[in-house]
Amino acid sequence: MDRNLLKYNHISVATKKALRYIDSRRTGEVKPMKTRWNKLNSLIDGGIEWGNFYTLAGISGSGKSAFTNILETDLFDLNKPLNKPFNVLSFNFEMSAYRQILRKLSAKIQKTVSELKNNPSSNGVLLTDDDLKRIKKEAYEIEKYNIYYVDIPGSVSQIGNTIINFSQSHPDSNILVILDHARLAKRIITGQGEQQMLDSLGATLLEVIKRIPERCSVILLSQLNREIEKRISYPNEHYPIRSDLFGADSIYQYSDYVFVTHRPEILGIRLYGPERLPTDGKIFLHILKNRDGEVKIIMMENNLKYNSIEETPY
């Protein structure tokens, strides 16, 4: 086929694919991967599915990195047996990989990261030999996860090429790509602005998903701009909206799902939004875009002290 032409298919090809998908969901041959958050699962057709582009955004300290840290191991723990093995390829540009492990250990043994660092000022209690044995035991289990970290930031093209190369090196496995976070991709092209880089990143990640059909999903972490911090006095304007996303046009356009983690208490908001929801110790997961379902708010308990987030009964 002429490389200057794009491939096209008759509508019957897509129709047959849709019918296969419906039947595969019906028989359980295709199963979404459950998260620990049942309300979230029910809103996104059962859980994380292959072939989707998920974006998770939030201001600094809102819990978005902790959310994905929990998610990347929960997907292994909560979905056994798997229909097909998968790997996580995590572009960990904001935080070193070993710090991610510290967070996982914190959640496993219910000690703060500060305590794991043996910081006597945290609570005056130092780690014991028994504590170290527990830590090593959990670390040994963590080592078994099929998670691969990329710590050094790269350009958009390097990110895309790395994902394709990884998928070719693991042809029998699906791949969940996590990128934390969008703005930390390198701008290599001379004169390229941040918005242009985000456009290129979104397009590249979407192309990767389509080049590895039904084998790849992406979770892209992003930030909110500062506008939401200016709206604390007006309850009807508390909730994040599309324009609060940094690079909103790019992110929103390419994503199948857009989630925002928000902790209004760190902005001084005690009663949140027109519903006047209490904010003490709470994280609110806003579903701003849901390709095939509803947009909702899910209230969660903030246990970030031990790197844990759980749904509330609300």
Side-chain angles (χ1 to χ4, degrees):
M1 184 175 178
D2 190 331
R3 292 186 178 181
N4 293 317
L5 300 177
L6 296 175
K7 183 180 178 180
Y8 49 84
N9 290 309
H10 187 263
I11 190 172
S12 59
V13 175
T15 303
K16 288 182 174 64
K17 183 175 180 180
L19 289 174
R20 284 197 304 271
Y21 172 75
I22 291 170
D23 192 45
S24 296
R25 285 289 303 244
R26 182 186 66 84
T27 61
E29 181 184 346
V30 171
K31 292 180 181 178
M33 292 191 294
K34 295 180 296 184
T35 76
R36 69 171 60 185
W37 305 292
N38 291 327
K39 293 175 187 176
L40 176 61
N41 293 337
S42 67
L43 288 168
I44 59 172
D45 297 324
I48 302 295
E49 278 201 291
W50 299 111
N52 284 330
F53 193 138
Y54 302 87
T55 292
L56 176 65
I59 63 175
S60 180
S62 66
K64 61 183 183 294
S65 293
F67 188 94
T68 51
N69 185 289
I70 293 165
L71 183 66
E72 70 179 12
T73 47
D74 273 2
L75 292 179
F76 291 101
D77 293 339
L78 301 178
N79 296 279
K80 298 175 181 177
L82 290 166
N83 291 85
K84 186 175 182 179
F86 75 97
N87 298 296
V88 171
L89 180 62
S90 180
F91 292 85
N92 206 44
F93 293 166
E94 185 170 41
M95 187 184 303
S96 296
Y98 86 93
R99 292 186 180 274
Q100 296 284 19
I101 305 306
L102 289 177
R103 288 186 168 195
K104 294 185 191 301
L105 289 169
S106 169
K108 295 281 188 183
I109 67 172
Q110 293 293 285
K111 286 187 178 292
T112 67
V113 170
S114 185
E115 288 170 334
L116 292 178
K117 293 177 180 178
N118 216 37
N119 178 9
S121 64
S122 60
N123 63 5
V125 178
L126 299 179
L127 293 176
T128 66
D129 290 342
D130 285 342
D131 289 331
L132 188 58
K133 287 179 182 177
R134 288 178 59 211
I135 291 168
K136 287 183 176 180
K137 180 180 178 181
E138 294 297 343
Y140 176 73
E141 294 302 317
I142 287 172
E143 285 182 341
K144 297 177 183 179
Y145 291 115
N146 290 328
I147 299 173
Y148 299 80
Y149 290 114
V150 180
D151 269 354
I152 306 300
S155 67
V156 170
S157 62
Q158 286 175 318
I159 292 168
N161 291 337
T162 300
I163 298 169
I164 294 298
N165 176 265
F166 185 91
S167 72
Q168 291 171 345
S169 301
H170 301 79
D172 298 323
S173 299
N174 291 348
I175 173 174
L176 177 65
V177 176
I178 298 175
L179 200 155
D180 185 5
H181 59 78
R183 295 180 68 183
L184 294 180
K186 284 185 176 180
R187 284 178 277 172
I188 300 298
I189 301 172
T190 303
Q192 184 184 46
E194 200 163 38
Q195 182 62 56
Q196 290 173 301
M197 184 272 289
L198 289 173
D199 287 339
S200 178
L201 179 62
T204 296
L205 292 174
L206 184 61
E207 181 182 350
V208 164
I209 292 172
K210 293 194 172 190
R211 284 182 61 184
I212 320 173
E214 302 170 18
R215 281 191 56 210
C216 178
S217 280
V218 168
I219 300 176
L220 175 66
L221 273 65
S222 189
Q223 292 181 309
L224 300 184
N225 57 44
R226 301 298 295 273
E227 290 303 309
I228 195 168
E229 299 180 25
K230 301 175 183 178
R231 305 200 303 264
I232 63 174
S233 301
Y234 308 100
N236 288 335
E237 298 181 5
H238 283 171
Y239 296 163
I241 57 177
R242 172 178 174 171
S243 60
D244 290 322
L245 292 169
F246 192 88
D249 290 340
S250 303
I251 299 298
Y252 208 84
Q253 175 184 354
Y254 293 117
S255 301
D256 297 295
Y257 299 88
V258 176
F259 309 138
V260 174
T261 54
H262 198 36
R263 287 180 60 202
E265 66 176 337
I266 65 179
L267 299 180
I269 298 172
R270 299 302 170 206
L271 295 173
Y272 186 44
E275 297 182 51
R276 314 303 283 157
L277 301 171
T279 65
D280 188 31
K282 299 292 186 291
I283 294 174
F284 296 87
L285 181 68
H286 291 257
I287 301 178
L288 295 191
K289 182 178 181 180
N290 186 350
R291 185 78 75 180
D292 298 312
E294 297 179 271
V295 292
K296 291 272 189 176
I297 303 173
I298 301 173
M299 184 188 288
M300 296 183 167
E301 295 289 349
N302 167 11
N303 195 19
L304 293 176
K305 177 181 179 180
Y306 297 122
N307 292 281
S308 180
I309 301 171
E310 304 295 340
E311 287 179 341
T312 67
Y314 173 83

